[in-house]
Amino acid sequence: MLVADTYLGHRDDDAVAEAVDASDYATVVLSDTERQRSRVRTETTAGRDLGIVVARDLADGDVLEAEDGTLVVVELAEIEALVLDFADRDISPATALELGHAVGNKHWNLAVREQEALFPVTDSKERMEATVADLLPADVPTRYEHVPPTTFDDGGVDHTHGDGTDTHDDGDHSHGGAGHAHNHGVRTIDGGDQ
């Protein structure tokens, strides 16, 4: 089994990109759960048995090196999110607080992207829709979208990719206040365990 145990950096880094482009690299697609584990046994996209042993959360585009010198490029499987689109909507503070209270009691993770609120689908769509339905004005559109799992990250890994946007985490748990940069145009609020 191939074992990737050295983190080289992100593919956006010129030196790392050059090394990848000059090699016969392998690609692995990780789930949100797998990317957060320090040890994972999986397969490359070509079907080669692969062990990953790194003490860090992985991001889309991270590059690892195996003991035999093989470079491994990490891709992340997208997750489904419920999106509430508040663009051009007049939402009262009371409505916003009621919605925040309801989803906070469910401990849903939240990411804010411009005028949209995104929640990872962690329950049945019917239950999630029922939670927000009575709290939303009728003109607030909802939809589902596949997003990178890093959309909901609340800290620990710097996913700076140089696109010029900046976001900040508003919680070290569902009611806290620590922060980090996550340059994907998304602000995250952790609805995790207390």
Side-chain angles (χ1 to χ4, degrees):
M1 169 174 44
L2 182 66
V3 176
D5 59 0
T6 303
Y7 177 81
L8 293 184
H10 194 274
R11 188 153 186 177
D12 285 346
D13 177 36
D14 291 338
V16 174
E18 286 178 23
V20 169
D21 292 341
S23 72
D24 187 21
Y25 65 91
T27 302
V28 64
V29 179
L30 299 178
S31 71
D32 187 39
T33 302
E34 290 172 328
R35 78 178 181 94
Q36 297 177 54
R37 295 180 57 201
S38 62
R39 295 177 180 267
V40 175
R41 184 173 181 165
T42 187
E43 290 184 353
T44 67
T45 56
R48 186 171 181 190
D49 199 22
L50 174 68
I52 297 175
V53 183
V54 291
R56 64 178 302 127
D57 288 358
L58 295 171
D60 197 64
D62 280 347
V63 179
L64 310 174
E65 185 175 16
E67 75 279 356
D68 70 353
T70 301
L71 300 186
V72 179
V73 177
V74 174
E75 293 181 3
L76 299 182
E78 291 190 329
I79 60 174
E80 193 168 27
L82 170 64
V83 181
L84 310 180
D85 188 349
F86 294 103
D88 303 319
R89 304 298 186 271
D90 187 22
I91 306 297
S92 73
T95 298
L97 288 170
E98 288 172 356
L99 179 63
H101 180 75
V103 300
N105 279 339
K106 298 280 187 184
H107 292 269
W108 290 357
N109 284 338
L110 163 67
V112 176
R113 179 179 62 196
E114 297 176 4
Q115 300 297 313
E116 298 174 324
L118 292 83
F119 305 96
V121 175
T122 56
D123 201 349
S124 74
K125 290 180 181 179
E126 294 78 18
R127 284 186 180 168
M128 292 185 75
E129 290 168 9
T131 298
V132 299
D134 293 336
L135 301 171
L136 289 177
D139 65 340
V140 174
T142 62
R143 69 180 186 280
Y144 291 91
E145 180 179 315
H146 285 87
V147 299
T150 53
T151 301
F152 302 100
D153 278 359
D154 64 340
V157 179
D158 180 6
H159 301 292
T160 304
H161 298 277
D163 64 4
T165 57
D166 188 32
T167 59
H168 301 280
D169 170 56
D170 287 340
D172 54 4
H173 66 84
S174 61
H175 310 286
H180 84 291
H182 186 89
N183 292 325
H184 287 289
V186 178
R187 207 171 117 216
T188 61
I189 301 171
D190 177 18
D193 297 332
Q194 294 185 21

